[in-house]
Amino acid sequence: MNNQKKLPYLFILPGFIIVTTFIYYPVVKNLYWSFYKWSPLSQGREFVKFSNYVQLFNDEIFIIAIKNNFVHAVISLTIQVFGALVLAAILEDKIFRKISGFLRSMYFIPTLISITVTGLLFSFIYNPQIGLLNEILGLIGLGQFATGWLGNSDTAFPSVIAMGQWIGTGYITMLFVVAIQKIPQDLYDAAIVDGCNKIQKFLYITVPQVKEMTFVAVIFTLSRSMLVFADVFVLTGGGPGYSSQVLSTYLYNSAFINNEMGYASTIAMIIFIITILFYLLQAKIFSE
Amino acid sequence: MKRLVIISLVLCLSLSFFVMYSPEAHAEKTITFLHRWPNEPFKGFFDYAVEEFKKEHPDVEFKVLRVLNEDYKQKINVLLASENPPDIFFTWVGEYGNKFIREGIALDLSKYYEEDSDWANNIIPSTVKPFTYKDKEYGVPILMDVRMMAYNKDIFNELNLETPDTWDQLIDVSKKLKNNGYIPLGCGNKAPWNGALYVTTLNQRVLGLDTVKEDYNRYTGDFEETGYVEALERLETLIPYMNKYPNAVSREEERSMFVNGQIAMMALHTIEFPYVKDMQYEWGTFNFPEIEEGKGDPSVITGAPEGFMISKETEHPEIAMEFLKFMTTPEMGKKWVEMTNVISTTKGAVNENNSTPLMVEVIKEVEKAQDMSIWLDTATDAKIFQPYLAGIQQVLNKEKTPQQVMEEVRKAADELRKEVE
């Protein structure tokens, strides 16, 4: 009997050890380091209390970075979550049954390509001289909008976001397709009897029925927006100026270029807090 | 069957263990050697050097770590802070290397320079100078990178143009090129160092090397001189002659436009010469023109040596130094030039037999030069070059004025001075 009580703990032990060593311990350690000023090269570590945090909120690059993360999040939510849901509903519609398999793979492929490769691909698309985007704009008579997409402060970050949407939408669409397939057909049949049109079916049956999946998709998209790094790093490196800096690229800069590990830890703490807050908020909203 | 699988698994594992640790098992001395060239032709040279050195010193084993630029920058900090730092590590010069010296990570090599004057005299002095801190040598330079203005001779001949010696001539030549449908100047500033290197040269030409050096130094830099604003204004003057959207064009794209004959002039590094060697047009180089109103000596080159330092923690300083000396002997210097087509820091390594006349021309400038203007982004502290480089991008985009940028740099310099005092 006694053994049987202990057994479950034994089962969770490996997981517990891994999570503690690789997640909880570093988080606590990171919090600790964020109160220090230190460089990886020097031995001295100076305790500076909250000065890293104070500095952070007076730092205009940090403000730009956090703003960019939020812009990324809002756009991603609209396109990736809402857009993907609509897309999934369309794919699951009878009209598209025949080609939906093909389209699903098409939309999913970007997720499978390495982000470095995608970055390179989009660098070509955005290239001012030979870029596909400028060519297309020229062809459809919008040549006056052609520009060096990654070189202007006002177009660089939107271009990065656009690539993120291209990569992410297909994945979320797949999640929704699976969720929609699980909705009992009876509901739709009943709706037809009641005289619902397609939009009404979507709004009153599909949307409420995929609530759980929406929760997952929202969390996934938001955390991806908050942690976005490679997209920016590959396409713009945070430039021009600081216009496309996000929290993680700024963290990288502080840690590995400026050698300010304490400050980088502080930024990491902020990212952590924001993500946790988002999670709690969503958990509350969706549990109601 | 099951037993067979298990036995072979165990065998495999123990074998791999043996393979992994075999060098340490019978070598008495192991040198960890970190450089930044996993790519050919440089990788080949270092592999060759290691093999040749091992022939003379059979008791020495090498563990070579090769990491490319960006990874290197990240890895070096972690490795040097660890308990087993690499014995020999690559570094750039300027503040980038000085911080290793200041933090007591790099070994003082002045002893070896004094002991073996035969070897030391064989290295071009101007390339050792940037590795010197408070009159002591802390590193051994292996290569020299010089930024020259490259130009397309065919285009220049077609339009009957002379290479410019002065700023006004540069503007004049650029105008003519532009009127004839060419892009006069290349500037691919997507990774922001390229614009910063234009400014490196301009700062030196306008203000003179002494002023510039004082301001690049983290203890004394205040960037109060108006010349810094002037240098940025001159960069602004060049914008109409550059390719469109400089911040959207990468260095590689800029180079291809030069190779394709779209761009008539670009600032090309000697280390990049191999990339343009297949160009179908004839090309040449000239030193960046003189700014007549400026205080700077027009013969000063913009460039920097790159080389190696030895960790203070090393157990075998003698062998590490022996290896660095070995790589910079006249024979190995020649080998370096043959294998890589890049300027060696060893005297006489670049000569008519193994290099193009162009390279020989450049090396003459290097040997003549008393000093050089080192890249802005390695000469200064990250706290300075980050706002500076970001600002230069914004100047090229016409989003900020030179005054605004220098205001920010001054502010950063003030903060840095306070911090390091």
Side-chain angles (χ1 to χ4, degrees), chain B residues 303-363:
Chain B
E306 298 177 8
F308 296 100
M309 287 181 173
I310 296 178
S311 163
K312 224 178 201 169
E313 303 284 315
T314 180
E315 284 172 26
H316 315 290
E318 305 287 332
I319 299 171
M321 189 62 205
E322 198 62 36
F323 179 62
L324 289 185
K325 280 196 214 165
F326 174 76
M327 283 201 296
T328 44
T329 56
E331 296 77 48
M332 287 302 280
K334 283 191 191 104
K335 194 82 197 167
W336 165 267
V337 177
E338 276 164 30
M339 288 178 85
T340 64
N341 283 315
V342 166
I343 299 180
S344 159
T345 50
T346 317
K347 281 181 192 162
V350 175
N351 54 46
E352 283 80 3
N353 299 329
N354 61 10
S355 306
T356 56
L358 219 65
M359 286 275 277
V360 179
E361 198 71 17
V362 177
I363 194 76

Side-chain angles (χ1 to χ4, degrees), chain A residues 48-176:
Chain A
V48 292
K49 283 185 247 171
F50 287 96
S51 94
N52 280 336
Y53 289 89
V54 174
Q55 192 191 339
L56 199 61
F57 287 100
N58 293 321
D59 184 343
E60 60 177 302
I61 309 171
F62 173 72
I63 307 292
I64 294 174
I66 203 164
K67 199 191 89 204
N68 278 342
N69 274 109
F70 277 95
V71 171
H72 196 287
V74 170
I75 295 181
S76 297
L77 281 182
T78 323
I79 296 182
Q80 289 187 37
V81 179
F82 183 70
L85 179 57
V86 173
L87 203 60
I90 294 173
L91 284 180
E92 281 305 297
D93 195 278
K94 278 195 198 94
I95 306 171
F96 286 91
R97 272 285 148 79
K98 273 192 182 141
I99 50 165
S100 73
F102 171 71
L103 287 178
R104 277 202 308 251
S105 335
M106 284 287 284
Y107 296 147
F108 194 66
I109 285 173
T111 316
L112 302 174
I113 306 174
S114 145
I115 197 135
T116 331
V117 177
T118 315
L120 209 62
L121 185 73
F122 271 77
S123 300
F124 283 128
I125 294 178
Y126 292 137
N127 183 298
Q129 264 86 27
I130 51 162
L132 196 62
L133 186 54
N134 282 351
E135 292 283 324
I136 291 177
L137 285 175
L139 279 180
I140 58 174
L142 295 172
Q144 75 267 30
F145 293 111
T147 181
W149 294 96
L150 298 173
N152 307 321
S153 292
D154 45 355
T155 54
F157 194 62
S159 308
V160 174
I161 297 181
M163 183 179 93
Q165 308 316 310
W166 185 82
I167 299 170
T169 310
Y171 183 71
I172 308 282
T173 307
M174 285 300 280
L175 293 182
F176 279 126

Side-chain angles (χ1 to χ4, degrees), chain A residues 193-212:
Chain A
V193 174
D194 286 343
C196 276
N197 63 24
K198 274 182 181 164
I199 295 175
Q200 283 168 327
K201 276 200 294 187
F202 174 73
L203 285 178
Y204 298 114
I205 299 173
T206 315
V207 174
Q209 287 291 319
V210 296
K211 199 175 115 180
E212 268 97 41

Side-chain angles (χ1 to χ4, degrees), chain A residues 233-254:
Chain A
F233 196 72
V234 176
L235 281 184
T236 67
Y242 300 115
S243 62
S244 60
Q245 284 289 5
V246 288
L247 289 174
S248 1
T249 50
Y250 191 42
L251 181 154
Y252 175 88
N253 267 3
S254 307

